Amino acid sequence: MKNKAKKSSILRRVFFNSIGEKHSKALLSKYLLKIYKIPEVVIPRSLNSADSLLIILPSNPIDVAFQIDTILMLTSKFTSAQITLVCEKKASTLLSSLKVSNILSYEEDQKQLFTQQWKSLCQQIKRKFDLCIVLDKTPELCQLYLAAKSGATARIGFGDGYNAPFLNIQLKNQSETANIFEQNRALTQLLGNTRQKIKWSVAKSTLKDIEHLLKQHSISQNSPLLGIDLPYLLSTFDKGWIMELIKCIKKDCRFSLFAFDALCAEQQTPSWISELNLKVIPQLSLPRAAALISLSDTIITGKSTLFAISTMLSAKNIAIFEKKDAKYYENSKTYIISYNNTPDRNTIEQVMKFLIKSDYKSQKKNNATTVK
C-alpha cells in the first residue's frame, strides 16, 4: 500500500513538473475551488479575533531571522491564538525560543508538491486555521498550496501574480525595489499593530563568557574587534579572493582580527585557512554568536544568519552581496558592497576603504579617551 502511494506521489510530481508552474497553478486552483468551494475573494471576519494562526516562513535562514520581529509582533497581537510555524529544518533552530504552539519543519529537498513530507504537512494543517500568513516575498507553488489547505478564511501574502484561491489578501509594495523591512512594515500596517520596535540585547553573563573565550584564543580587546563571517565567505567566494582580502586587512588595519566558524556541524573549515594565521572562533550557539557580534566593532558578512543577527543588534557591518540581492537587504546600519556575478579586486578595495576609515575613527576615539 505504501509503495502504491509512493508511486502515485512520484507520478503526480512528474506530471506537474512537466506542465510547468503556470499550468500547475491553474489546475490546482480549479481543484481547490471544486473540493473546498473557496471563493476567489473572501471578506474575512475581524483578523483580530482569529483563534488559530498559521505562519508559513521562507526557507532561507537569513529571511527567517529577519521575520523574528514579525513573529513576535504577531504573538503579542494574537495572545490567545494557537500559533503554528512552518519552516525549513535548519531555520527551525532560530525559532526554538519563541512562544508558539507548534513548529512544523521540513527538509529543503522535500519542499515540493506531493513529496512525502509535504503531503504530511498538508494533512497536519488541513482546515485547522482561521488565519494564514505567508511570509515569503516570492512564495513557491507548494507554499501557496499549503496556505489554501489550511482552510483559513483570510490567507495573507505577498506577490503580484494571480494567486487566488491560494491567497485572498495580497500585499503589494508600491515600489518594485521594496526591501524586506518595508515588506514587513506593510504587513504590520495591515494588521493595525502599534507595538514599538523591538530592541535586541545580549545577557551580561553571555558577554562575560565570550570575553573569557576571546582571552582563551589570545584575541586582544585593546584594539577594536573585526569579525569575518568565514562560512559565508567560503560558500560564496573563491580561495584566492578570501586570502587576498585577509592579507589586505592584516597589512593596512590595526583591528584585532578573528573569524566566526560555522554555526552548524555540517560545514567544515578548510585546512588552508591555517596558512593565513587567522584566529577562528569555534562553533557558537546563536546567543553566543550574538554576544561576540555585540563586542565587535565591525563584522564582514553577507547573505547569512550572522548578517541578520548583527542587523537586529544594530551592529556595524559590511555586507557583501550580489547586486540582485543588495537592495532587498539594504538598511541604515549596514555598509553594503555589491558585485556582479563574481567579486573582484574592486570589491576588496571598497571593503578596505570602509575599514581604513573606520580604523582611523576608532584609533582617534581611543587616543582621545587616553588623553582624557
Side-chain angles (χ1 to χ4, degrees), residues 2 7 38 61 98 112 133 162 189 220 246 263 290 323:
K2 282 185 179 179
K7 285 179 182 177
I38 303 174
L98 297 178
Q112 298 177 57
I133 300 175
Y162 174 77
Q189 288 167 0
S220 172
I246 293 171
L263 293 180
K323 202 163 189 176

Side-chain angles (χ1 to χ4, degrees), residues 208-351:
K208 285 182 179 178
D209 287 345
I210 293 300
E211 285 175 345
H212 180 66
L213 184 67
L214 290 170
K215 286 178 183 176
Q216 284 182 324
H217 285 81
S218 303
I219 299 172
S220 172
Q221 286 186 265
N222 294 330
S223 297
L225 291 172
L226 171 61
I228 293 177
D229 186 349
L230 192 57
Y232 170 70
L233 295 187
L234 290 170
S235 66
T236 312
F237 311 126
D238 63 37
K239 175 182 173 180
W241 191 91
I242 296 169
M243 292 184 84
E244 180 68 19
L245 174 65
I246 293 171
K247 284 175 182 176
C248 286
I249 292 171
K250 287 190 166 192
K251 177 175 173 286
D252 297 330
C253 298
R254 290 168 288 181
F255 288 103
S256 284
L257 183 64
F258 71 91
F260 289 87
D261 199 355
L263 293 180
C264 65
E266 292 176 18
Q267 295 170 294
Q268 290 187 343
T269 303
S271 56
W272 57 262
I273 289 295
S274 60
E275 298 171 25
L276 297 168
N277 194 27
L278 179 64
K279 290 169 182 175
V280 179
I281 302 291
Q283 289 173 16
L284 296 172
S285 64
L286 287 173
R288 284 163 70 83
L292 185 49
I293 288 169
S294 294
L295 291 172
S296 301
D297 180 86
T298 307
I299 304 295
I300 298 176
T301 180
K303 193 176 179 179
S304 75
T305 306
L306 283 181
F307 167 66
I309 295 170
S310 63
T311 303
M312 288 190 292
L313 290 168
S314 297
K316 187 165 63 177
N317 56 54
I318 301 171
I320 308 169
F321 282 102
E322 196 169 350
K323 202 163 189 176
K324 63 183 178 65
D325 293 323
K327 277 285 181 185
Y328 188 58
Y329 296 105
E330 190 174 47
N331 66 85
S332 60
K333 295 292 181 182
T334 302
Y335 179 68
I336 288 185
I337 296 170
S338 63
Y339 62 89
N340 286 314
N341 300 320
T342 54
D344 53 20
R345 177 69 197 182
N346 180 55
T347 315
I348 292 176
E349 286 173 0
Q350 288 183 69
V351 173

Side-chain angles (χ1 to χ4, degrees), residues 6 8-17 19-21 23-29 31-32 108-122 140-149 166:
K6 193 173 181 180
S8 174
S9 295
I10 293 169
L11 286 172
R12 276 183 282 181
R13 289 209 305 277
V14 169
F15 171 72
F16 278 97
N17 285 335
I19 64 174
E21 186 170 350
H23 294 297
S24 297
K25 201 178 242 190
L27 191 61
L28 284 173
S29 294
Y31 166 75
L32 288 167
E108 178 61 27
D109 62 358
Q110 291 288 302
K111 189 186 172 187
Q112 298 177 57
L113 284 170
F114 309 120
T115 59
Q116 289 303 112
Q117 276 192 20
W118 211 260
K119 282 169 67 180
S120 174
L121 278 177
C122 288
E140 294 180 32
L141 183 55
C142 57
Q143 292 171 300
L144 294 171
Y145 184 67
L146 198 64
K149 278 281 197 176
F166 307 102

Side-chain angles (χ1 to χ4, degrees), residues 79-133:
T79 51
S80 59
Q82 296 287 309
I83 298 177
T84 295
L85 308 179
V86 176
C87 65
E88 195 269 334
K89 193 172 182 179
K90 288 177 185 174
S92 64
T93 56
L94 298 168
L95 310 170
S96 56
S97 62
L98 297 178
K99 293 180 181 178
V100 295
S101 306
N102 200 7
I103 299 176
L104 303 176
S105 62
Y106 57 86
E107 302 284 351
E108 178 61 27
D109 62 358
Q110 291 288 302
K111 189 186 172 187
Q112 298 177 57
L113 284 170
F114 309 120
T115 59
Q116 289 303 112
Q117 276 192 20
W118 211 260
K119 282 169 67 180
S120 174
L121 278 177
C122 288
Q123 283 299 117
Q124 288 179 76
I125 61 95
K126 187 177 178 181
R127 299 190 189 189
K128 291 182 179 177
F129 295 90
D130 302 320
L131 174 61
C132 175
I133 300 175

